[in-house]
Amino acid sequence: MDTNLYSGILDFSFVSDSIGIAVSPSTIYKTNNMGLSWNKLPINFYLGGKMPGFGEMVDEENIILTTSEPHVVTEGSLLKSTDGGITWRNYGNSQFFKWGIRDAFVLSQDSIWLTTGQSVYFTEDSGNNWDTLDIQLEY
C-alpha cells in the first residue's frame, strides 16, 4: 500500500466521499478511505507506449480511462475496467481517435462524449458504434 501520492498526478475521480482514483503518468492509484491512503492498481504506462489522460469512475467497479499513443499523429483511445481497476481492456470497438482525446464527458459506461479538438464523437452503446456531431470547431 502506498500512503503518499507521487508527483505528477494528472486527474482525480471520485464516486463517493471515500472511493476514488488518481491518474499519474505511470500508473493509477485508488483510495477507499477518503484519500488517507492509496493503493497502486496493476496498470503501468511505459515511455513510448500508451500514455494516460484522465480517468472517470462510473461506479465502484467501472472505470473509463483515456489514453494516447504518440505516433506521427497522436491517436487517442479508451480503456475500461469492470473490476475496480484490477484488469483493463479496450473500450467498445477499440476505436482510435486521430489527434488524441482532448476532453471527454462520461455520462455512463454506455454513453460517452469526447472531442479530439477537431471533431466531437459520441457513443450510446458502450463504444461499439461512434457517431460524429456535425459541428465545426473553431479556434
Side-chain angles (χ1 to χ4, degrees):
M1 174 189 330
D2 291 314
T3 56
N4 298 311
L5 290 179
Y6 301 99
S7 64
I9 297 300
L10 303 171
D11 191 33
F12 286 97
S13 177
F14 279 77
V15 294
S16 69
D17 289 344
S18 58
I19 300 171
I21 59 169
V23 180
S24 82
S26 60
T27 193
I28 300 174
Y29 298 90
K30 187 174 182 182
T31 184
N32 291 312
N33 60 8
M34 300 179 4
L36 296 175
S37 63
W38 295 85
N39 295 308
K40 182 179 178 294
L41 294 178
I43 184 170
N44 293 301
F45 299 100
Y46 299 100
L47 203 56
K50 288 185 185 283
M51 297 181 301
F54 60 89
E56 182 72 32
M57 290 193 79
V58 178
D59 55 42
E60 289 184 31
E61 296 300 317
N62 293 286
I63 304 169
I64 307 290
L65 178 69
T66 65
T67 66
S68 62
E69 294 182 41
H71 299 289
V72 173
V73 173
T74 298
E75 293 182 337
S77 62
L78 298 164
L79 296 176
K80 180 179 181 181
S81 175
T82 58
D83 56 11
I86 303 302
T87 61
W88 295 87
R89 60 180 169 80
N90 290 324
Y91 180 81
N93 67 4
S94 303
Q95 169 103 15
F96 282 98
F97 299 94
K98 187 175 178 182
W99 308 113
I101 299 171
R102 295 263 183 103
D103 197 9
F105 177 69
V106 179
L107 184 60
S108 70
Q109 62 185 348
D110 298 324
S111 180
I112 296 177
W113 291 69
L114 62 85
T115 181
T116 62
Q118 304 290 319
S119 300
V120 175
Y121 299 88
F122 65 95
T123 183
E124 295 179 314
D125 63 0
S126 299
N128 292 310
N129 296 289
W130 290 90
D131 291 312
T132 305
L133 196 59
D134 189 20
I135 62 170
Q136 179 65 37
L137 298 177
E138 296 184 23
Y139 296 93

